[in-house]
Amino acid sequence: MVTGGDEGIFQRVGPVPAVWTADPPVPGYTDRTEQLAELRQFADQVRAAPAVVAVHARPGMGKTAFLRQAAAVLRDRFDICLQVDFAAWHRDGRVDMDGVLGGMLEALYVAQQWIPADPAGRHRRYLSLLEGQRVLVLLDNVTEPAQVEYLIPNSAHALVLVASHVRLHDLVATHRAELRHLTGLSTRHGVELLEVIGVGERVKAEPGETERLVEICGGSPHGLQIAAGRLRFQPWLSVAELVAELESEVVSNAGDPARTEGRHEMTKGLDSAYRALDADAASLCRRLAVLPGREFPERIIAAAAGIPVRVARPRIGVLVAMDLLEQVDGGFRMPDLVRMYAAGAAAAEDDPEELDRCRARVVRAWCAEAMAADRAVLLDRYRVPDSFEPVAESETAGLGKKAALRWFGRWHGSLLDVLRHAEAQQLDTEAWQLFEAMWPFYSTHSYLQAWLEAGALAVTCAHRAGAVAAEARVRCLRSRASMNQGDFAAAATDLDEARRLAETVDDGRRLLASVCDFSGQLAYRQQDFERALADFAQALAISEDLGDERGTGLQAQFCGRSLGRLGRYGEALTALDRAKLLLERAGDTRALSRTAFSRGEVLLAASREAEAVTSLHEAVEIANGLEASELVVKPLELLTELARRNGDQAAERGYLTAVVELHLAGGSPDAARYQARLQELSEED
């Protein structure tokens, strides 16, 4: 066939000879089996137009290797395969598309003298040669949709497979492209890759640390190859030591030149993605990399940039589109490799003082969110007066009680990191206020080690700031964790000092009542019920004098419990009935659950078992409604004991199953004891 016009010199006398320019597959290629199988099915479909599949991934995730593997998998479906790496055709900030087309025509056996000089002529020649052919086009490092559109063959049997670090959504509208996201290797396949590339024995010896290495690298084949290189050429370096180095680089730019160079090798593949960002998105990327915490809600990200949320959203969208941020439940996470890279960029490009101001803004924003969530759980409880104004309207302010507690659970890891950072940077007021705001969560969940650590940081900061009332308060809050751990001596030390401090505070009656409350709790746990009653009675008198209805209800409950232990059952039930009435008015459902439990204990001691069971079930029901697992355990344990005492094995088994689940979830050592009893019941059946 001879074409007319200025293409008369181009003559086709038959089909284009078989051409296959794809690089061979990477040796030892692992994973991606599901994506490759899906691609084969897609290639087999009958269609009326060429097909386009755009694969998006962060640099270093193996896009190029995926294209090579795909070409091998699809080898029997196509006669022609043309591969182009656009990174090789960048000239002065743009892609030389004339050169790209010229190279593709050469690959199709068009002699140099017959390649048209003008772009339009080259494009027409390209389309005419591939018309109707079974052709696979592999386009790597694409940066914009137009590059793809220019190279789509004129054949319904064609498949264009695109790899890019940007999301090419426009191709969906213009060519009905299929979009695919290539994530990092799974832990198993990441370990397999390390074994394949020569460090198999090393990683098998340290399986747990190897899994962490894959996690730090985000499953990036490039990052894992660099890590394997470190292990091969530094045989004295253990996987655990390499992991420790990399973990320090995630949060710090400090280190010797060799470690800095190693970090650069692992992250340099991100250069192209970072350079593609506009100034605002790049600035936000750098700031997120130096923040405390690993995951961030949208409002915290906005605080990092010092801008409103509505302004931050498009910038966040850019980072997500470039795979530099990952969407997680309720917020965003920066992958560790990206964090390393962006932290290095921040050290090189940003004013250290501005980064410090950024971190301080973020600490205050977290504190504002936590304080609002604390108030959402319970508005009317004693708190040390606030010392700073929230930096932004809180998104947690409108939450209900259960949602607010879930918020604390969701962000607990980040909040603890923020508290550590606040103490290190001497943001003392924010540190103790953040710990105080976390009290509703810690008091209803079994995070004892984190609770003690956070309390220690808060006490240090309050003391350093000379905040006497705050120090007394956070010592009280820490003492509860010590009590829960069974360390009564540490709790007593905190409470003795808290009482001494409270007595020096002007108008500190509410604070003193709180200290008496905690002291009574300690005496009660030590089974010194006379002393506990005296402490609770003192707190009750102060609360009544202040007109504090909720405080009065709480102390009436504690007095009732102590009276019950002293065998004064009538007085105890009167006090607990009063507590229930006052706490219902105050809307304190957590305290109502405890009151129902206390009433069940007293009724049981008074040999009123049926009423006791009813009250214990009420305590469980209220606590379940709050999703407060710690409040559920004790009434369930008591119900279990009652069922066992009465020989009701079916009821005992049901209660035991729930108790075991709760203890296991909280990491309690008591889980084994209850599991053993559950096993006994199974053997008796």
Side-chain angles (χ1 to χ4, degrees), residues 85-153:
D85 183 356
F86 281 91
W89 292 97
H90 273 274
R91 305 285 187 272
D92 300 322
R94 57 179 295 274
V95 173
D96 178 12
M97 292 303 296
D98 292 349
V100 169
L101 272 174
M104 296 181 85
L105 290 174
E106 284 187 23
L108 291 167
Y109 299 106
V110 178
Q112 184 65 43
Q113 67 267 32
W114 305 123
I115 295 177
D118 64 298
R122 292 187 179 194
H123 189 238
R124 287 194 295 271
R125 182 59 169 155
Y126 171 79
L127 294 178
S128 66
L129 284 172
L130 296 180
E131 183 178 355
Q133 300 281 355
R134 296 198 312 168
V135 56
L136 174 65
V137 180
L138 307 177
L139 304 179
D140 199 5
N141 290 306
V142 169
T143 57
E144 57 184 74
Q147 296 163 356
V148 178
E149 292 169 348
Y150 199 56
L151 298 178
I152 295 175

Side-chain angles (χ1 to χ4, degrees), residues 412 415-420 423 431-436 438-439 442 447-462 474-475 477-478 481:
H412 174 259
L415 289 166
L416 188 55
D417 280 344
V418 169
L419 184 50
R420 292 171 181 143
E423 188 277 330
W432 67 253
Q433 287 187 330
L434 182 54
F435 175 63
E436 186 186 33
M438 294 169 74
W439 166 251
Y442 281 138
Y447 285 66
L448 285 180
Q449 293 306 313
W451 186 352
L452 287 167
E453 180 190 353
L457 294 169
V459 168
T460 296
C461 290
V474 295
R475 281 185 179 276
L477 303 183
R478 180 174 67 171

Side-chain angles (χ1 to χ4, degrees), residues 54-71:
V55 177
H56 161 261
R58 188 170 65 246
M61 285 297 171
K63 298 186 300 296
T64 299
F66 180 76
L67 291 187
R68 292 169 62 175
Q69 191 70 17

Side-chain angles (χ1 to χ4, degrees), residues 130-271:
L130 296 180
E131 183 178 355
Q133 300 281 355
R134 296 198 312 168
V135 56
L136 174 65
V137 180
L138 307 177
L139 304 179
D140 199 5
N141 290 306
V142 169
T143 57
E144 57 184 74
Q147 296 163 356
V148 178
E149 292 169 348
Y150 199 56
L151 298 178
I152 295 175
N154 184 20
S155 172
H157 307 298
L159 172 61
V160 182
L161 187 55
V162 183
S164 176
H165 61 253
V166 297
R167 300 175 191 261
L168 303 172
H169 293 292
D170 288 353
L171 290 174
V172 177
T174 57
H175 293 279
R176 297 185 179 180
E178 296 280 332
L179 298 185
R180 298 290 184 270
H181 183 210
L182 206 62
T183 58
L185 297 176
S186 66
T187 299
R188 178 170 69 86
H189 287 107
V191 173
E192 284 181 7
L193 178 60
L194 288 170
E195 293 174 352
V196 165
I197 55 184
V199 289
E201 294 304 317
R202 304 280 296 282
V203 301
K204 286 178 182 177
E206 300 177 82
E209 295 300 333
T210 300
E211 290 181 2
R212 175 59 184 144
L213 179 60
V214 175
E215 181 186 356
I216 291 175
C217 293
S220 163
H222 173 75
L224 289 170
Q225 287 169 348
I226 298 299
R230 291 279 306 277
L231 294 171
R232 280 199 305 271
F233 296 111
Q234 294 178 286
W236 60 88
L237 185 68
S238 70
V239 178
E241 289 169 333
L242 177 58
V243 165
E245 285 187 14
L246 294 174
E247 284 182 330
S248 70
E249 292 293 350
V250 170
V251 296
S252 170
N253 294 304
D256 59 52
R259 287 173 61 183
T260 302
E261 181 179 351
R263 178 187 66 209
H264 177 68
E265 283 299 312
M266 294 188 73
T267 62
K268 67 181 181 181
L270 294 163
D271 284 341

Side-chain angles (χ1 to χ4, degrees), residues 599-667:
R599 195 169 185 277
E601 285 186 308
V602 172
L603 287 165
L604 191 60
S607 301
R608 295 161 63 176
E609 187 174 307
E611 293 173 83
V613 169
T614 300
S615 195
L616 291 171
H617 277 286
E618 181 184 352
V620 171
E621 183 179 353
I622 295 171
N624 280 333
L626 285 170
E627 297 182 5
S629 59
E630 185 177 86
L631 297 179
V632 179
V633 173
K634 289 185 178 180
L636 279 177
E637 288 177 342
L638 192 49
L639 286 166
T640 301
E641 178 58 30
L642 277 174
R644 181 176 187 175
R645 190 186 307 172
N646 294 329
D648 188 346
Q649 290 191 351
E652 183 186 357
R653 186 181 295 105
Y655 293 136
L656 266 176
T657 301
V659 168
V660 167
E661 288 178 358
L662 289 167
H663 279 296
L664 287 174

